[in-house]
Structure formats: C-alpha cells, structure tokens
Amino acid sequence: MAARPPRTPAADSVTPGERHWTGDAIREAFLSFYAARDHVRLPSASLVPEDPTVLLTIAGMLPFKPVFLGQAPRPAARATTSQKCIRTNDIENVGRTARHHTYFEMLGNFSFGDYFKAEAIRWAWELSTEVFGLDPRQLVVSVFRDDDEAANIWREEIGVNPKRIIRMDEADNFWVSGPTGPCGPCSEIYFDFQPERGDEGLNLEDDSRFIEFYNLVFMEFNRDAEGNLTPLAHRNIDTGMGLERMAQILQRVPSNYETDLIFPLIETAAALAGITYDSADARRRTSLKVIGDHGRAVTQLIADGVSASNLGRGYILRRLLRRVVRHGRLIGIEGSFLPRLGDAAITLMRPAYPQLEERRPAILAELEREEERFLATLERGERLLAEVLASQPRQITGAQAFELYDTYGFPLELTEEIAEEHGLSVDVAGFEAAMEEQRQRAKAAAVSIDLTLQGALAVVAAELEGTVFTGYDALEQPACVVALVTDGASREQAEAGDSVGIVLDSTPFYGEGGGQVGDRGVLSGGSAETPGDGLIVSIEGVNRNRSVFVHNGRVERGVLRLGDVVTARVDRSCRRRAQAHHTATHLLQAALKLVVDPAIHQAGSLVDFDRLRFDFHCPRAVTVEELRRVEELINGWISDAHALEVREMALERAKAAGAVAMFGEKYTEVVRVVDVPGVSMELCGGTHVANTAEIGLFKIVAESGVAAGIRRVEAVAGAAVLPYLNEREGVVKALAERFKAQPAEIVERVSSLQEELKASQKALAAAREELALSRARALAATAEAVTAAPDEEPFRVLVARLEGVEGGALQTAAQELAERLGERAAVVLGGLSDPGDPGKVHLVAAFGPAVIGRGLKAGAFIGAVARMCGGGGGGRPNVAQAGGRNGAALNDALEQAREDLRRGLNS
RNA sequence: GGGGAAUUAGCUCAGCUGGUAGAGCGCUGCGAUCGCACCGCAGAGGUCAGGGGUUCGAGUCCCCUAUUCUCCA
C-alpha cells in the first residue's frame, strides 16, 4: 500500500533503512520468536469454538480455556499461536474509532504451569524492543495495583523508568475468567506516540497518545465462591498482542484500518464505488472501514463453516454481511459486490490461512446467495414503507419503523432516509423504546435456563482418568468398574432393577461421538476363568464425557459393585449395522462431492443402527437423478470390495494426504485416518467395516432441507436395508390388494381414479346448479304480488323451499330469480342441502333495490329467519346467506318470512 | 432460548370488519399477420401449507404443527 503520513510526530524516531514490517512478517516474527524459546507453534483454532456455550472465539486464549480451568490436558508446557477472533459486542464503533474491529488476530504466548512472570516480562520486552525495534523511551507499562513483584521486575531487571510504570486497579489490570476460578493480575505494554510530552502525569486512557499492544496475564490465584484468593498449584501465563495494533505502530499509520492487513480491502471497495479513500468524506471513510473490517470477518466465518441463518453464529454472520451491503450502497456501489470483496479478502489473507483458498468457491457462493437474499429483503421493505407513505402520515411512528425493522429486517437508517425524501421524520425515540422492550423480553426469557448446571456424571468424569477404548479390534474383554452413578449421585453398588451409569477402566464399547451412536451390549459377572455370581447388566448406550466413557445400563440380575471385574461384551449385530452405516456415510460424502459439487462438506451426521443421516452444506436441492447416480456409485464401490485402511498419523501429514476433516472440529496432533483407497479419506474416530463389501447394499431413503443452505440425505445400508424394504413392500402390497391391481399398475390406477373423481365431482356440481336453477325458474311463476297502495307497482315476493342445493348454488339461484323479477323482488329460498339430513338448513335472501328502499335488508332479514331454525346468518343488504340446524322448523320459518315480507312491503 | 411476520393458480401477489376464491405475468386454443413481436377473444390451472377449534357458514377469527423470512439474546 501507499506510504501514509503518520498522525503523530513519531516519525523522527524512524531511522533510514529500517525494516518495513508487513502484517504477515509481524505474525511470523512473533511466532518464531517464541518457537525459538521452546513454545509449540499451534495453528489458529476455528472461529467456531469447541465449547458449545460460547458462540464464537472471542479471545486468543479461548481455545486454551479448558486447559487453564484444569478441564483438559495441556497440549504442551508452552505454546504460541496467532488466533483469529470475532467480537461483535460494540459493532457500532467499528469504523468510527481507530481500533475497534469485529475481526482481529491475537498473537499469544502461553505457559501451562511452566514459566511465569519473570520470563514472560523479559521476553515481551525483548520481542518489543529488539525484534520489533520499538524505542524503549516510547514504551509505558502498567501493572496491577498490588503486584509489586511485576513492578520490581520491570524496574530492576528490565530497567524501565519508574515514572513509566503505572499502577492500575482491578477493572483494568486484574483478569478473571468468571465469578470463580483461576485469575490473576495483568501487566500491559503501551506504545507512546508522543514521548516528547514527557513522563509526568501519564494517562494511559488517552488513546490519542497511547495504544496498548501487549497484555500479559499472570494466572496465579483461584477465587472461590466467597471471593477468597488462594495460590494456584500450577501458575499460568496467558498473553495477547493485537496483530493489527502492532501493525499500526510499525507501519506508522493513523489507524488499524490503514495497515496492510485491511487497507487492500478498503481500496477494493473504494474502486468498486469509483471513489478513493483519501478524497472520501468522513462518512464514506467510515463506510469503507466497516466494509474492510467486516469483509475479513465474513470471509473467515464462512471458511470456518458458518453459514448465514437466523440464529446463533449464523445470525452474526448474516448481520455482518448485511452491514457490508448497506455500507456498500452508502458509498455508491451498485449491484452485487460481495463476491468481489470476498475474493479480495481471500487473496489478502491467503498467505496466513491457506484453507481460505480451498474454500474459495463455497465462500463466494455463500456471499452471493446472502447478498441476493438481503436485496430481496430490502425490496420488500421499500414496498411496505411505500404503503405506509401512501397514507400520507404526518410522521413515521416508532411502532411502524420498528415493525419494518423487527419483522421485515428493514434497517432504520433506510427508513429515515426514505422518509426524509418525502419530507417526513421518523420517531426514533419510539423506535428505541420498542427495541428496548424487545430486549427486556428476550432477557427475561433467558434467565430461566441455567447453563452452569452440571450433572453428577460430569463431576465424576472430571476426576477420572480417560477410559481406554479397545473396541476398534475387540468386542469382548474383561474390565474393572471404576465408577457407578445412579440417580445423579456416585454409588458403591447397584442392584437388580437399577438404572446405572458405569465407568470402566477400559472398554470395547464405542462411546457416542462423531455422529455414531454408542454401542449396546452386556456386562456380565466375572471372567471366563472365574465365573461370577450371575451378574448381568444390559447396556443401552454409551456416552463420552471428555475421554471418560459412561455406559448407561440396567442391572438385570445380581449386584454390581465398584471395583468388580466384569466381562464387557458388545452386541455384534448392532455394531455391525452401525459400522456399515458409518462407512456408508463416508462413501456418501465422497459420492456427493463427485456427483453434485466438490465444495460439499459435512454439516452434521448421525450413524444409527437402523439408518444414517448426513447433513451437508449445499445451496440447492439434490435432484432425483443425482441421487440415483450417487446410489449407483456407492453400490459400485461396495461391490468393488475395497479393503479399508485405518491408521494413525500426524495431523499435518493426514491433511497433506488429502484427508477430509470437518471444519470447526479441533483435532489432536495424532489423528485417526479412515481410508477407502481411491474413494474416500477422512479423519474419523468411529468404527468401520473392514471391507466395503460388508455393507452389502446402500439405499437412499429421503432427501430434504434442514435449514437454508443445508440439505439432508437419509439412507439405509447393510442389514438395515431388509426391514426397510419389507416395510415398503408391505405398503405396496396393501395398495395392490385394495386397488385390485398389479404393483406396477398402482400409480396409473390412482391417477386415473383421481381424474375420474375430479371429473365426476365437477359434473355433479354443475348438474346440481343446473337443477337448482331450473327448479328456481319454475318457481318464478309462483311469485306473489304484494301491493302497498292500489296505484303502485306491486312488489314480487317469492318464498319457497328448494331442496338438495348447496349454499353457493342456492345463492346463484336466488340472485337470478331476483333479477328476473325486477327491482321490486324479494326472494327467500330455503332447504336442506342434503334431503336426508335435517341438521343442515340453508337459507338465502336476495332483495331488489326497491325492497331495500323500504328498509328491508337481506342480511338482517335472513338472520331472523335462520334463528327460527336454530342458526344464524347475515350478509349484505341485497344478498345474504344463513343456515341452521333444525330442519323441522324450516316450513314455519319460511311461512313467518312470507308474513314478515308482506307486512314489511304493504305498509 | 424469546418475540414478530409470511405460507392463496406454474411465478409475483390482491382478497377491507367471516357470506359462491381474484389480478398481472406465464400456459393452451382461436382470431389478426406473409411470419414474428405486440394486440383481441376464449380456456385450462387452487382440498387458500397441514391439523384441530369457534360459527349456520372460515382463505378471513383462535390454538397446535411444519416451512420460510425477520428482530432480540
């Protein structure tokens, strides 16, 4: 990018020939600095965290949180990472300040019970001053108020000027992971853009002068529920250096946005809008910055397998995408541009994140799809707003603006903009009030669930060693009972009839995971050599709690005690069926990639005993023809009898070999690779057949959509195919019998029956109406003349029964009669719609204009008649319908109606 | 997790406070034209998402379910 003048007079400290630091170079320098100090260099974890209670990776240490909390083994004594992070809590500030981002990278070095304050401080200083070449006179450090130890190290060992060591309170320099748990003081390093202002009264909050770029957390205490601090047995170091901030400092630009980590995206967006960043006004600059920031965020989110949706992280992605589109419009970009922005983002970040390149087609497709969707939303909103404006209101109310926003996703700013074009204002205060109300509602509903609740099993599991799993090779083996849980509490023994959770030291039972269900089987007393007391425990399923396998079972006979040695035996037939489905799932993924789209990847999977379910990212439905080809391909592979090769290898090697990994899944360094040579290679911990021939047959049962952009294929394989076919055959047989047809003829028979039915229904309706009309015409002659005065033209009153006519036809008849009889006609028809059922009375009245002029209204009139038949009704003054339940009263009611008409018309 | 909205002809949508389901585009046929586009006339096409309820009567009101959209967390 072009060199930009620094905002501050720091330029005088630049020495000629000084190294130019690109963002990539800064990252590399950090990681290799710590790698040279025995840190294991780990790749950035996914933005989608393993912890299901956390929406996104919001900090560099998040992937290590379970390690710090003692819930997971440490990956190494020391580690260093560059972690991608997403934060959206103060999204409104993005682009308005120099440093707020939704997407950023956190460089970090970590010590898990290894080195502590002295090394952390020394290395941080060395890295900052010697590697990055920052002038010590331009650095300021902060320490926690009570942390004399850290202050001493800075002063004595490093030699920092005491005036440039600032003590801070808990709010700024004491780190906690939650109300309880590990915590400790921090120490931060700040860069001073204006060292010439001296050392007196330094205010680190002044971010026009200072920027914090390195935070060192010294985790040394555990805080209990009462707030007491006790020293930790293993003290940890957790640090974070904001990559964008360091780039801002080293590249001497006024904000993070002008570093080479983001600026190329801003330039891309500006070019698309036909403007330049330098000449843009403040509002457009802000929009450009938002696009630059969000462009990185959305690209990385999609690459990590997030797809836009209306909940959870999918919703965060959607919101970011829509903000990009909106700001694009604000700076004058017309038409679709997200794919081009995404393309630039991939190219920009590709050097550090090669997987972006692999996912390029999927990322661009998602961007395009989502942009299109948002444009449709905007169009709909504009239409609705136009309707509101058409009523020429004095202003747009808060409720109206909120409805547009809340229900139809139409942004407030756009409502304001369009209203302004019509010379109207929007009640923003009312809008905010409605929004606040909605927030309160959501909050009130949220407290009802308690995320901190942990079951007894989780507590037990946390204290145990991991279970050794032997089930890849063995289906039966002796094992020792190391824990028992019934009714949520740890027990010494369980008796016949008890439902119990059992942990064994080792087990052949597969624990539910990776989509595959847990094994079923039996634990029996004793071993082959020493038969027990007839103990039998049936196992219905096995869950995994971290690496501890919990067998859920029921004691059928005997007594199960802690410490017992039992024989654990997996149900072979169930296991075989699960294995067939699991291998078939791998074949399915491979086949879908070949037939439908190479970009297809898994979004979820279920491997059960009687079926398999595979969810995958795919923007459209898979066609029937494609499904047929997928089936053929898979059955071909099955009959080719491929022998599976399962081996363990280093993650990097597996990836290099082309093994399919799940996005967002975190893998250990050594992974298990399931290889169907030439067909499919996946990282997988599940159990599989030894040879594809064992699967026997594969049959797709259903294809459907689960969510926008996600499709689901359900299938059966192996032994599970037979029951499926039998069930289907049963249906066909029953149909064949009922239709007295050969199975192959059923479809034709049904459709011809349908046509016949439709035709005869139509004919019947037409005939009925025709009949009703002709009977009605015959009735016309029976109309009675009612005269009010001798010299006046008489009214024509017709009251009659007309049976077997549906409401609609009856009304047609009455209207036609009324028309024939002229504008002085009053027609009332009534009858049973079904002559055999006195419970369904239909009544119709049709009055000519002159009758209405006499104050008689068909609606009210027919209502009164219907009430005599136990019903009610109404309609318009000229024509009305009614009904009742009491057919026996119909004649009297009609007679009454005739009387009423006479009286009403001759007065 | 909690709100709001939508679902009507192949497509885009009307359908006001319950009273025989409509429009535009598309489709088919006929007319007009040397032929096409345009145009004129006629026609086909709907268990109003599914289920339950209220009512004499429900596309319309109420409840449940499904799908989609959307906001909040």
Side-chain angles (χ1 to χ4, degrees), chain A residues 826-878:
Chain A
V827 178
V828 173
L829 298 178
L832 303 176
S833 56
D834 175 0
D837 176 9
K840 285 224 160 162
V841 180
H842 273 280
L843 290 158
V844 173
F847 288 178
V851 177
I852 299 168
R854 278 299 171 95
L856 288 173
K857 292 197 170 107
F861 188 85
I862 203 70
V865 180
R867 272 188 287 281
M868 296 181 63
C869 304
R876 291 182 290 271
N878 63 327

Side-chain angles (χ1 to χ4, degrees), chain A residues 34 173 397 438 450 675:
Chain A
Y34 283 104
N173 277 49
T397 66
Q438 143 117 306
D450 186 1
D675 185 8

Side-chain angles (χ1 to χ4, degrees), chain A residues 194-255:
Chain A
Q194 301 160 332
E196 70 283 0
R197 283 170 61 180
D199 301 332
E200 298 302 327
L202 299 180
N203 175 17
L204 293 177
E205 304 282 307
D206 174 7
D207 64 3
S208 65
R209 177 172 174 186
F210 297 105
I211 176 172
E212 176 217 328
F213 66 90
Y214 210 165
N215 184 11
L216 316 175
V217 178
F218 313 123
M219 230 177 277
E220 57 181 324
F221 301 115
N222 185 57
R223 178 142 73 179
D224 64 23
E226 282 80 46
N228 301 315
L229 298 179
T230 50
L232 282 173
H234 301 286
R235 298 186 298 183
N236 304 308
I237 291 292
D238 156 31
T239 78
M241 173 187 283
L243 174 63
E244 291 78 10
R245 292 182 173 203
M246 190 45 104
Q248 187 210 331
I249 296 168
L250 293 176
Q251 294 174 9
R252 296 167 199 291
V253 287
S255 81

Side-chain angles (χ1 to χ4, degrees), chain A residues 165-176:
Chain A
I165 301 173
I166 312 291
R167 299 227 179 200
M168 307 266 262
D169 286 335
E170 276 95 344
D172 295 299
N173 277 49
F174 197 87
W175 176 87
V176 293

